[in-house]
Amino acid sequence: MMDRLAAFGRLGLAIIASLGRSGRFLAGVLGGVSKPSVAFPLLLKQLYSIGVLSLAIIVVSGLFIGMVLGLQGYTILSDYGSEAAIGQMIALTLVRELGPVVTALLFAGRAGSALTAEIGLMKTTEQLSSMEMMGVDPLRRVIAPRLWAGFIAVPILAAVFSVVGIWGGMLVGVEWLGVFEGSFWGNMQSSVSFTADVLNGVIKSVVFGFVCTWIAVYQGYDCVPTSAGISSATTKTVVYSSLAVLGLDFVLTAVMFGDF
Amino acid sequence: MDTSPYIELRDVVFTRGDRRIFDGVSLDIPRGKITAIMGPSGTGKTTLLRLIGGQLRPDSGTIRVAGEDVPRLKRKALYRLREKMGMLFQSGALFTDLSVFENVAFPLRVHTALPEDMIRDIVLMKLEAVGLRGARELMPAELSGGMTRRVALARSIALDPELIMYDEPFTGQDPIAMGVLIKLIRDLNSSMGLTSVMVSHDVQESLSICHYACIVADGQVIGDGSPEELRAHPSEQVQQFLHGHPDGPVPFHYPAAEAGQDWGIGGSSR
């Protein structure tokens, strides 16, 4: 019994210590400001590798999810004779929920795991140490551009996801199943509010982008510098990011839309 | 000429987890000379370099490099001091996404505002010094182990440091690569007036080029002096290490329970 209690206490302490380390790590990354002439090219490079290169998976997933929403929505709504509301349903589902959430989950799998593995490998091969010994702070040079790039890229990717999803829903609903195009777009336009829906979706994706990238770079930086350590850090990135996104989504939804 | 030691360690205590790595180590590293720090694997030789470079902080004691108290330096001052230091890591630690040329140019681009043509000239000079001017377009993955270390050496001297630290420079090198590294370490030290600190357990190679050596074991300096003085050192532990005797003060057997107890028969203890 005492052993279990002690183990539980140890686990609690380890979690708190890890949270503390990640907080200090974040303060170190955000606290140091590099010269714009140095920081901007590094940021652009990262925006390309974690933002632009994630576009393919985001566009394809968005398209399929939009098409599935079109099909499912039509099946359910046509039972009530209200298939004309399909545009509104697809847009609200994507903008409020699926856009930010699925983008963040895909981002954690596609870019977050790559960030963790890259930084972890740089640590294992002493590249981060050698940078420190050259008088270059790896938090500013390596971590900060990646963190900012994720922070900027995820909301844009989520917007792309939603737009492509709505287009996919339109393809199925209007082009295939024959919903009147005017009511598809008209219902959407009249029911989707910019502040209540679009802006709240953007806020969600900003939060998810920040949390996912923070988890990814921290896990890489804090990993045990062995191959097993990198593998476990990469797994942790995907698991923690996914749980954090889903948990935070509930909290944010409750705050944003829970006012009945 | 300044004859004060370039690095001074006084009563340095360093613990990792429950293990005390250094238990009151004091050491002077002379300016402009090659110093070899030797000792069995796992005695914390690399840790010593990281303490000198300020990547780790001791539990107590002072570490002065070029007159500056490293553990008490603020971040900015520490990074400025590191611009005077070069370090050759055991793995080379080249940036794998940059070519040989860009690796050597990296510290110049970060720390200086030199025009591109001057950076090119300096990088080529540094690569020429390690005999790899022709390899400038290669990527780190295309280099052999010995070449990787030579490129890393060129990179660590790019800013003309005062101090260069070598972490196990000879480990895993073939005889020719080892010969090249020995020549480079010796030549760079004399031509650039560097202070060199070399951590190694390759006794003969280290003693052949160093001016001063010390042996670290069990968290203490167990012997130091010139190579000649060390060879004549009275300590059995020093002699065991220098000559590689399998048994002696450092026992062949890891501490274990009584042999008879393990095999379930009556027997003597070890």
Side-chain angles (χ1 to χ4, degrees):
Chain A
M1 182 64 196
M2 281 308 282
D3 280 355
R4 275 193 198 159
L5 206 60
F8 187 66
R10 260 202 308 280
L11 182 71
L13 285 176
I15 291 173
I16 291 169
S18 173
L19 279 177
R21 276 204 308 279
S22 64
R24 277 182 56 188
F25 165 81
L26 185 66
V29 177
L30 298 179
V33 181
S34 302
K35 275 186 285 182
S37 59
V38 178
F40 194 64
L42 292 172
L43 177 67
L44 275 188
K45 197 175 163 203
Q46 291 310 318
L47 272 176
Y48 176 76
S49 69
I50 66 181
V52 176
L53 295 183
S54 301
L55 264 178
I57 187 173
I58 293 292
V59 167
V60 173
S61 314
L63 183 69
F64 281 120
I65 286 191
M67 284 160 58
V68 169
L69 281 176
L71 271 176
Q72 292 281 16
Y74 185 85
T75 318
I76 297 167
L77 291 173
S78 61
D79 286 347
Y80 305 98
S82 53
E83 61 269 21
I86 191 176
Q88 159 189 0
M89 189 217 85
I90 292 172
L92 285 180
T93 316
L94 282 169
V95 169
R96 281 185 182 183
E97 284 300 329
L98 291 185
V101 172
V102 178
T103 302
L105 295 178
L106 291 172
F107 180 82
R110 152 69 183 76
S113 56
L115 280 178
T116 305
E118 185 191 17
I119 296 169
L121 201 62
M122 286 178 89
K123 182 178 182 181
T124 309
T125 53
E126 296 179 311
Q127 293 181 45
L128 297 181
S129 276
S130 75
M131 213 176 257
E132 269 181 14
M133 288 306 297
M134 271 183 250
V136 180
D137 187 349
L139 288 183
R140 289 186 193 180
R141 182 90 195 177
V142 177
I143 309 292
R146 285 165 173 77
L147 186 68
W148 284 110
F151 189 46
I152 296 169
V154 173
I156 299 174
L157 290 172
V160 171
F161 184 96
S162 294
V163 168
V164 174
I166 290 170
W167 185 68
M170 196 272 298
L171 278 185
V172 170
V174 175
E175 305 290 335
W176 181 17
L177 300 170
V179 174
F180 177 54
E181 194 173 2
S183 49
F184 183 90
W185 294 115
N187 273 335
M188 193 187 299
Q189 198 177 0
S190 61
S191 63
V192 177
S193 139
F194 180 74
T195 44
D197 300 316
V198 178
L199 214 57
N200 276 339
V202 171
I203 293 173
K204 276 187 180 179
S205 58
V206 167
V207 173
F208 296 162
F210 184 71
V211 170
C212 284
T213 326
W214 179 20
I215 290 175
V217 291
Y218 173 69
Q219 288 298 337
Y221 193 77
D222 196 53
C223 79
V224 180
T226 58
S227 40
I230 296 178
S231 129
S232 128
T234 317
T235 311
K236 277 186 196 162
T237 291
V238 177
V239 173
Y240 292 174
S241 300
S242 308
L243 293 178
V245 164
L246 296 171
L248 278 172
D249 184 46
F250 175 73
V251 174
L252 289 173
T253 307
V255 172
M256 291 167 174
F257 305 103
D259 189 18
F260 298 113
Chain B
M1 192 186 146
D2 191 353
T3 52
S4 62
Y6 191 78
I7 302 172
E8 291 171 64
L9 281 82
R10 289 285 168 278
D11 306 319
V12 172
V13 175
F14 181 76
T15 335
R16 183 177 282 148
D18 298 333
R19 205 177 139 222
R20 181 154 282 202
I21 312 268
F22 296 119
D23 193 7
V25 166
S26 295
L27 188 64
D28 284 340
I29 291 177
R31 197 177 286 267
K33 299 271 170 44
I34 302 177
T35 300
I37 297 171
M38 298 185 289
S41 300
T43 46
K45 302 186 296 294
T46 304
T47 308
L48 193 64
L49 293 189
R50 290 187 188 272
L51 284 166
I52 294 172
Q55 290 187 304
L56 296 173
R57 280 170 199 265
D59 301 338
S60 64
T62 54
I63 300 169
R64 301 184 81 83
V65 176
E68 306 218 47
D69 191 354
V70 177
R72 281 175 192 78
L73 283 181
K74 292 261 187 296
R75 188 187 158 281
K76 210 168 190 178
L78 179 63
Y79 274 91
R80 203 169 306 129
L81 176 66
R82 282 180 184 159
E83 289 174 35
K84 296 186 201 166
M85 301 179 183
M87 180 147 170
L88 183 71
F89 285 84
Q90 199 171 347
S91 62
L94 294 180
F95 303 131
T96 41
D97 56 336
L98 300 179
S99 67
V100 165
F101 182 93
E102 286 302 325
N103 261 288
V104 182
F106 181 85
L108 294 165
R109 290 195 202 284
V110 176
H111 290 303
T112 69
L114 293 174
E116 191 54 38
D117 54 345
M118 202 175 273
I119 287 184
R120 182 178 178 278
D121 290 347
I122 297 175
V123 171
L124 293 186
M125 274 162 58
K126 301 298 175 189
L127 283 173
E128 174 75 13
V130 298
L132 291 177
R133 189 166 44 87
R136 61 180 180 267
E137 299 302 333
L138 297 181
M139 293 304 283
E142 299 170 275
L143 303 174
S144 70
M147 285 163 85
T148 302
R149 275 183 214 187
R150 282 152 71 184
V151 174
L153 188 53
R155 185 178 66 177
S156 54
I157 56 169
L159 288 171
D160 293 326
E162 294 175 3
L163 166 72
I164 183 158
M165 297 188 274
Y166 301 92
D167 186 6
E168 302 281 5
F170 310 120
T171 307
Q173 300 295 309
D174 66 58
I176 300 173
M178 208 183 267
V180 169
L181 283 166
I182 289 176
K183 172 183 152 46
L184 281 174
I185 293 173
R186 191 191 286 136
D187 291 356
L188 286 175
N189 192 76
S190 55
S191 64
M192 294 177 68
L194 291 165
T195 300
S196 308
V197 183
M198 186 170 63
V199 146
S200 178
H201 48 219
D202 293 289
V203 174
Q204 299 317 323
E205 288 75 14
S206 303
L207 289 184
S208 72
I209 52 169
C210 71
H211 303 102
Y212 171 75
C214 74
I215 300 178
V216 181
D218 304 329
Q220 306 272 351
V221 173
I222 57 166
D224 66 329
S226 67
E228 294 71 34
E229 285 168 348
L230 266 188
R231 285 194 181 100
H233 203 280
S235 156
E236 267 185 63
Q237 207 176 344
V238 170
Q239 292 307 323
Q240 185 194 1
F241 179 74
L242 291 182
H243 297 103
H245 298 311
D247 208 353
V250 176
F252 172 73
H253 287 284
Y254 191 80
E258 280 187 15
Q261 203 178 318
D262 272 348
W263 280 294
I265 47 172
S268 63
S269 67
R270 232 170 225 147

